Amino acid sequence: MVTITPTSSLAGDVLLFEVPAPRDEKWIAQLQERYPGLEIRWHTSELTMMPKPLPDEVYDGVTLLVGFMPHPAEKLPKVRYVQLMSAGADRWTTNDLYKNPNVTFCTANGTHAPQIAEWVIGTWLMANHQFLSYAEQQKKATWNRQPSLHIEDSPGLRMGILGYGAIGRHCARLGQALGMEVYAYTRREKATPEARKDDSYVVPGTGDPDGLIPVKWYHGSSKESINEFLAQDLDLLVISLPLTDATKYIISKEQFDILAKKKTFVSNIARGQHINSDDLIEALKEGKIRGAALDVADPEPLTDGHPLWSAPNVFITPHVSWQTPHLFQRIQAVVERNLEGLSGQKPTLINVMNKTHGY
């Protein structure tokens, strides 16, 4: 039996959940037992890029917010903490709540890592073992080994992870299990063992909490430093960066020309605007890269008939790699940990954003 220690330090706070999940009465009761005087409101929303503002009475007095898409800042003058359901905050950066230095933003970093890393490795294996070609053949009820197909396994190949956060770290863990060598890229230098540790939420048994997997680390924010990393004979490039002004279209014609040396396979599970779509289509058509797996696109949603749909050796899904029935459980764990921080039971919060850097 779990013993709940009440604390009244959140008394008077109003916590609003605006989430695409049904109201969890059992969990709400546990939180209210632990934090007497904390008012909890719950609005089950649709997962949409164009949410409708909530009624004024729902916003009234809210001090703590858990949600996905931005809300009108003028409706939430008392908010001091925003817990995002996403790993990135690019949709919030123009919102006045985000601009307010007195409002702390925390991401859901780490909650998406297992499922997204599995998507990355699943599409990599699918491409290397030509599963789609054999799936098409199966529809014809024909037994043919297709000797002309190039099949390749992973031991000894090199995975480069552009953005070594929670998702990148679990990609590294799975890649290492396949026998791959991992190179990591971060914006800031990670020169010491302490600096290489992951300070975000980690699903137990996943990721690279101590930063021990990469055999080489690269860093920087300039195009030159990015290009140096891309020139390391990467077999698989995983793009797992936050989208900021500095990372928009970070992979364009010049970078594809660099990747052409090894004919790198490109996997993008971050944001579509990391890649220039016209340059990607050209790289695929000209065989500069061996293929691409995309869970995001530019534009997004990818318009009907867009030439990227018919480009050779590309696999596209409609931004679904984050999906799992366990996601909200993990977000609840982040919320619980941060309520401990806000109430003074813990000295710090987790997944706190650096608003200057945008992640």
Side-chain angles (χ1 to χ4, degrees):
M1 184 174 180
V2 177
T3 301
I4 297 177
T5 304
T7 174
S8 61
S9 61
L10 294 180
D13 274 298
V14 179
L15 171 58
L16 170 61
F17 288 92
E18 204 272 324
V19 295
R23 183 179 173 91
D24 188 335
E25 296 290 357
K26 181 179 179 181
W27 187 51
I28 290 172
Q30 289 173 344
L31 292 179
Q32 290 180 320
E33 182 180 356
R34 185 163 191 175
Y35 303 104
L38 172 65
E39 180 182 344
I40 296 178
R41 300 174 190 167
W42 193 293
H43 182 270
T44 299
S45 60
E46 295 182 6
L47 190 61
T48 173
M49 304 300 288
M50 299 293 291
K52 297 178 181 178
L54 304 178
D56 287 349
E57 59 268 24
V58 177
Y59 288 128
D60 185 42
V62 169
T63 56
L64 314 173
L65 172 65
V66 178
F68 177 57
M69 296 299 290
H71 291 263
E74 65 274 13
K75 303 283 188 180
L76 295 163
K78 296 182 179 180
V79 163
R80 61 189 175 99
Y81 162 76
V82 175
Q83 175 62 61
L84 302 180
M85 293 186 64
S86 57
D90 48 288
R91 298 180 182 92
W92 279 83
T93 54
T94 59
N95 186 279
D96 284 341
L97 282 177
Y98 185 87
K99 295 176 183 179
N100 187 339
N102 297 316
V103 180
T104 298
F105 270 70
C106 295
T107 71
N109 198 23
T111 64
H112 311 86
Q115 61 270 34
I116 293 180
E118 289 183 16
W119 186 97
V120 169
I121 297 301
T123 52
W124 163 252
L125 294 175
M126 179 184 68
N128 272 5
H129 291 270
Q130 302 289 349
F131 289 159
L132 290 181
S133 295
Y134 288 115
E136 286 300 311
Q137 179 177 284
Q138 182 180 345
K139 294 176 184 178
K140 301 173 184 176
T142 301
W143 185 280
N144 178 5
R145 288 180 175 167
Q146 302 189 51
S148 63
L149 292 179
H150 176 71
I151 308 293
E152 187 167 12
D153 56 13
S154 297
L157 299 186
R158 183 172 297 159
M159 173 191 289
I161 302 175
L162 189 59
Y164 202 65
I167 294 168
R169 286 171 184 260
H170 198 50
C171 289
R173 187 186 186 107
L174 299 183
Q176 184 187 56
L178 293 175
M180 300 184 78
E181 182 180 56
V182 176
Y183 284 15
Y185 187 94
T186 58
R187 184 182 187 276
R188 287 170 287 180
E189 185 176 9
K190 307 286 186 181
T192 66
E194 189 64 28
R196 292 176 179 179
K197 291 183 177 180
D198 188 2
D199 60 0
S200 62
Y201 170 77
V202 179
V203 176
T206 71
D208 181 21
D210 294 318
L212 299 177
I213 293 176
V215 298
K216 284 192 177 182
W217 291 74
Y218 293 79
H219 71 278
S221 57
S222 68
K223 183 172 71 171
E224 290 74 22
S225 59
I226 294 283
N227 289 350
E228 180 189 3
F229 175 70
L230 298 178
Q232 301 307 307
D233 291 338
L234 307 177
D235 296 285
L236 168 61
L237 172 65
V238 180
I239 301 171
S240 52
L241 293 161
L243 183 64
T244 67
D245 288 341
T247 64
K248 191 173 288 187
Y249 302 124
I250 201 168
I251 304 295
S252 298
K253 185 179 187 304
E254 180 180 354
Q255 288 70 42
F256 284 121
D257 288 343
I258 294 170
L259 296 174
K261 176 185 174 185
K262 193 64 188 270
K263 292 190 181 297
T264 304
F265 187 90
V266 176
S267 182
N268 187 11
I269 46 72
R271 291 289 186 266
Q273 287 186 319
H274 286 311
I275 298 180
N276 181 301
S277 291
D278 291 339
D279 294 340
L280 171 60
I281 293 168
E282 177 186 292
L284 289 164
K285 287 182 175 180
E286 295 183 2
K288 293 179 182 179
I289 58 176
R290 72 179 76 172
L294 310 172
D295 188 48
V296 290
D298 182 34
E300 188 172 313
L302 193 61
T303 52
D304 293 349
H306 192 284
L308 187 55
W309 287 114
S310 57
N313 300 317
V314 64
F315 179 77
I316 302 170
T317 56
H319 208 151
V320 295
S321 64
W322 56 270
Q323 292 181 340
T324 172
H326 310 296
L327 177 60
F328 196 66
Q329 264 183 319
R330 297 169 187 163
I331 292 173
Q332 285 176 312
V334 175
V335 171
E336 288 177 7
R337 171 60 183 78
N338 280 338
L339 288 179
E340 291 177 350
L342 290 165
S343 66
Q345 296 177 57
K346 297 281 188 182
T348 60
L349 307 184
I350 60 169
N351 291 1
V352 178
M353 284 197 63
N354 181 321
K355 293 182 184 178
T356 302
H357 294 152
Y359 58 89

